[in-house]
Amino acid sequence: DAILKLANVVREDNLDTKIYLNKPGNKEDYENLMGGEATVNKLDKTVTEFLISISKKGGLTPSDQTELRRGLETIKNLERIGDLSINLVEFFDMLKEDKETFSLAALTDMNSMLDELNEMFDMAIAIYRDRNEKLYNTLMEKEDIMDTTEFAARQSHFTRMAKGECSSAIAASVYVDILGTIERMGDHCCNIARSSILDYADKENKL
């Protein structure tokens, strides 16, 4: 399945992005991530063009059309997750270029959110592959946890700033953007799962 191949590349990029934050990453790591992003874009273009070519042939059943739309939607969500992962790397590089660092508390919160994101991503792909409704419900609970974690991390950040504990001006500037980016990546995971489950339930009801 070409879409699962694309998902695997995005998954590796997500894991490498966390490593890039903590290592921190160097030029070689950055180039590897850019290579992964190039692969994502290439697969996105190839698979999307293939699915559109099928749609243009006509004669598709309503079920076929549903599967086609689900595939296109999943590809776009995967591509957006990949783009946002690169955005995170660019945020991390802003600090590295100014020789500044995140506080230990900020690193802890970002790692927590990235761990939650990677769990959500694996669940979303499993739901896409297996149409597992029970796992879908678990993922929706994970989304609520992600939102709570993001809010708590944001509030802790502002508290540190108010106490004068945030020594990096760059970190103070981009940290909230980083939290929001990770949260949006989680939203795209849920979009993949939601499309898979709702489309499948609708198709089952029509049989």
Side-chain angles (χ1 to χ4, degrees):
D1 188 313
I3 294 178
L4 291 178
K5 181 179 179 181
L6 172 59
N8 189 55
V9 176
V10 174
R11 181 180 187 276
E12 289 302 312
D13 281 352
N14 288 345
L15 294 173
D16 287 344
T17 296
K18 182 185 174 187
I19 293 172
Y20 194 88
L21 166 65
N22 291 284
K23 190 178 175 181
N26 55 32
K27 183 178 180 181
E28 181 180 353
D29 297 323
Y30 180 83
E31 290 175 352
N32 286 337
L33 280 162
M34 292 303 106
E37 173 67 359
T39 300
V40 168
N41 290 336
K42 182 179 179 180
L43 285 170
D44 170 25
K45 183 175 183 292
T46 300
V47 180
T48 298
E49 288 177 348
F50 174 71
L51 293 178
I52 290 175
S53 70
I54 292 175
S55 70
K56 289 181 178 178
K57 292 179 180 179
L60 297 177
T61 66
S63 177
D64 291 335
Q65 292 173 357
T66 294
E67 286 296 316
L68 193 64
R69 186 189 64 76
R70 185 176 75 98
L72 290 167
E73 186 174 347
T74 299
I75 291 167
K76 183 48 60 180
N77 279 294
L78 287 170
E79 188 267 338
R80 286 300 298 140
I81 293 171
D83 284 347
L84 291 169
S85 184
I86 296 303
N87 288 350
L88 289 177
V89 171
E90 292 169 347
F91 284 135
F92 303 156
D93 273 351
M94 290 175 66
L95 266 78
K96 188 169 65 175
E97 289 169 3
D98 277 32
K99 296 181 172 55
E100 296 183 4
T101 59
F102 291 106
S103 68
L104 179 59
L107 277 171
T108 299
D109 287 341
M110 285 187 289
N111 276 299
S112 178
M113 286 190 69
L114 287 168
D115 285 341
E116 289 175 9
L117 170 66
N118 290 329
E119 289 181 17
M120 291 174 69
F121 185 86
D122 287 346
M123 287 183 184
I125 299 308
I127 292 164
Y128 166 81
R129 184 184 63 237
D130 303 326
R131 314 296 206 282
N132 187 325
E133 189 167 352
K134 183 177 180 180
L135 190 58
Y136 171 78
N137 292 333
T138 300
L139 177 60
M140 293 302 103
E141 293 172 0
K142 282 281 187 183
E143 182 182 28
D144 291 339
I145 294 172
M146 170 72 85
D147 291 342
T148 300
T149 303
E150 192 266 348
F151 178 79
R154 185 188 298 260
Q155 295 305 305
S156 295
H157 169 64
F158 290 130
T159 297
R160 289 193 298 273
M161 289 184 66
K163 292 181 177 179
E165 297 174 356
C166 189
S167 60
S168 168
I170 298 296
S173 174
V174 303
Y175 182 66
V176 171
D177 292 330
I178 290 171
L179 299 179
T181 298
I182 299 172
E183 193 271 336
R184 286 196 299 275
M185 293 168 77
D187 288 344
H188 285 291
C189 292
C190 293
N191 289 345
I192 292 170
R194 192 173 291 113
S195 174
S196 300
I197 287 296
L198 296 182
D199 280 350
Y200 182 66
D202 183 58
K203 186 168 70 174
E204 286 286 288
N205 290 335
K206 290 179 181 178
L207 294 179

